[in-house]
Amino acid sequence: MTSDLPEMRASDAERERVAEILREAVAEGRLEMDEFEQRLDATYKARTHGELEPLVRDLPAPGAAVAPVGAAPARTGSQKRWADRIGKPATSGGAFAFWGGFGRRGNWTVGRKFTAFAMWGGGEIDLREANFEDREVVIRCFTIMGGMQVTVPPELNVEVRGIGIMGGFGERSKDDGVPSPDAPRVRITGLALMGGVGVERKRSKAERQRLRDVERERLRELDRERGRLEKGERDGR
């Protein structure tokens, strides 16, 4: 990313666009958290385009391969991320555990029909960073004297229709969120016999950090606005 006028003064909006690129990068695993914090701090201290450019020169802008500091990024947020995560070839269509456990987490692709079974054991299905073979996905969970945990992001469209017999099959939310219309629709069904299947809405660590950064910047903007108002009052006296 280059600028024809590196000495041009940067605006608050341009600094915020660079900060958004950094937030996307840490959420995608392109930056470690300590490097992200260093770059974010340098972003809000930058005064010119020339100071901003090196901070994101090695990073793609949200929704595009390259974008200048002064240009508004293409589609950002959940809409673009969900579009990129749908239609991938499935890497797993099922899981099995007997006197043991299984795990499906991180960057994997869930098949349009995924079946999990656990007997005298347990399993973990984490969809927070997963891709999806199709926009409509069915996850069937069956457990006998065992347990399964399904973790989903708050923005995912999820329908839970399992049955618990001498056990439980239910959903709870740890993080509030509004399902995105562009997100896949996941139907979770199955049976828990003398065991349990839990579905939990929970944000990933990177997403929680991103939201904290957004709130931190909101407070900083309030402080900057307060400072501008106080300066205006002093100049008007």
Side-chain angles (χ1 to χ4, degrees):
M1 178 169 55
T2 60
S3 171
D4 294 331
L5 299 172
E7 299 306 317
M8 179 177 287
R9 302 286 288 189
S11 67
D12 287 343
E14 288 167 334
R15 279 186 283 270
E16 181 54 36
R17 282 195 282 271
V18 170
E20 181 62 24
I21 294 173
L22 295 175
R23 294 184 190 110
E24 289 289 323
V26 73
E28 294 171 354
R30 299 178 189 273
L31 290 177
E32 296 294 334
M33 190 57 63
D34 56 348
E35 186 178 9
F36 164 72
E37 293 174 351
Q38 292 171 5
R39 293 196 189 194
L40 188 67
D41 184 63
T43 296
Y44 292 123
K45 292 179 179 178
R47 292 292 175 265
T48 66
H49 282 197
E51 293 173 327
L52 286 175
E53 288 169 0
L55 301 175
V56 291
R57 184 175 294 153
D58 58 344
L59 299 173
V66 180
V69 171
R75 298 172 65 198
T76 61
S78 297
Q79 283 189 329
K80 184 62 179 178
R81 290 200 297 272
W82 284 123
D84 289 342
R85 293 167 63 176
I86 299 172
K88 308 285 187 180
T91 59
S92 182
F96 177 85
F98 179 74
W99 281 68
F102 68 81
R104 297 290 186 276
R105 62 182 74 89
N107 187 17
W108 66 292
T109 302
V110 57
R112 58 176 55 88
K113 287 187 178 181
F114 182 92
T115 302
F117 177 83
M119 181 173 181
W120 296 328
E124 177 186 1
I125 303 171
D126 192 334
L127 302 181
R128 290 176 294 178
E129 299 178 18
N131 298 315
F132 300 83
E133 183 180 19
D134 202 347
R135 186 170 295 278
E136 299 283 340
V137 170
V138 177
I139 297 179
R140 298 177 292 189
C141 300
F142 301 94
T143 180
I144 301 174
M145 291 185 287
M148 288 188 204
Q149 177 68 35
V150 183
T151 306
V152 303
E155 297 80 14
L156 194 65
N157 296 295
V158 178
E159 179 184 357
V160 181
R161 287 191 175 183
I163 299 173
I165 300 176
M166 298 179 66
F169 201 123
E171 176 184 8
R172 69 186 182 92
S173 177
K174 184 172 182 178
D175 294 308
D176 294 330
V178 178
S180 169
D182 285 350
R185 183 171 300 276
V186 178
R187 185 157 52 95
I188 302 175
T189 67
L191 172 68
L193 176 61
M194 293 185 289
V197 174
V199 181
E200 182 180 40
R201 293 183 179 272
K202 182 180 178 182
R203 300 186 189 280
S204 66
K205 182 178 179 180
E207 180 65 11
R208 292 196 299 271
Q209 179 65 46
R210 187 187 72 82
L211 293 175
R212 284 195 293 267
D213 291 335
V214 170
E215 179 62 18
R216 185 187 308 164
E217 173 55 20
R218 187 184 70 85
L219 295 175
R220 285 177 176 172
E221 180 58 33
L222 290 175
D223 288 340
R224 287 194 291 266
E225 183 63 26
R226 188 181 299 113
R228 287 192 288 267
L229 291 174
E230 292 175 353
K231 184 178 184 301
E233 291 177 356
R234 289 195 299 269
D235 294 343
R237 290 175 185 172

